[in-house]
Amino acid sequence: MKFPVMGVLLISAALAGCQPATPAPVAPTGAEIAAIAEKAHNDYVAAINSNDTETLMALLTDDVVYQAPNMPEVVGKPAAREWVAGYFGAYRTQWEKTSLDFIVSGDWAFERYAYRSTDTDKATGAVTTDVGKGLNVYRRGTDGVWRIARDSWSSNGPPPAA
């Protein structure tokens, strides 16, 4: 028995209409956003305060960008590793970061924060504190871990003397 071409097309169209639609992504609830924010934020601050380069590197994306005050931006994980290793080599650091706003959109999250940092010079023992603000951009990896893709911060203090 031969089916006319038009009949095959109609049956195909009808069957295609029976396929389940791909569900739209479900936006996280307030409680889920709070849990994501708390874990991502706390993990990043703990990694910074570990003063261990590799611990911090585990929470950065390969294309990370750091925008620190008074210096060129640091782009990519190899450059970040070098910068962080130099920082941790010179200072014992302690950061207090307060999350002020945390927004999740798909695999991206955006955080506005306030900070207080305390750096102790390993060579001299001199202590420097700073207070400021910043923005973090997180990206969720295929393993479900939220990593820093961008961290940009600035001091509330006056610029350094020229």
Side-chain angles (χ1 to χ4, degrees), residues 15-25:
L15 289 174
C18 293
Q19 299 297 318
T22 303

Side-chain angles (χ1 to χ4, degrees), residues 87-88 90-94 118-128:
Y87 178 52
F88 287 165
Y91 299 96
R92 175 81 184 153
T93 192
Q94 178 70 33
T118 304
D119 290 337
T120 304
D121 188 301
K122 289 182 175 180
T124 67
V127 176
T128 304

Side-chain angles (χ1 to χ4, degrees), residues 32-43 99 102 104 111 138:
E32 291 166 329
I33 291 171
I36 291 167
E38 181 177 5
K39 178 154 179 43
H41 175 87
N42 290 343
D43 287 353
S99 186
F102 202 98
V104 176
E111 177 184 38
Y138 297 83

Side-chain angles (χ1 to χ4, degrees), residues 35-95:
I36 291 167
E38 181 177 5
K39 178 154 179 43
H41 175 87
N42 290 343
D43 287 353
Y44 185 45
V45 173
I48 293 168
N49 289 335
S50 75
N51 286 265
D52 180 76
T53 301
E54 293 311 311
T55 299
L56 183 53
M57 290 301 105
L59 285 181
L60 304 181
T61 62
D62 289 340
D63 63 346
V64 66
V65 175
Y66 273 152
Q67 294 179 325
N70 308 308
M71 61 176 287
E73 64 183 4
V74 176
V75 180
K77 204 169 198 177
R81 178 177 276 109
E82 182 180 342
W83 183 81
V84 167
Y87 178 52
F88 287 165
Y91 299 96
R92 175 81 184 153
T93 192
Q94 178 70 33
W95 283 67

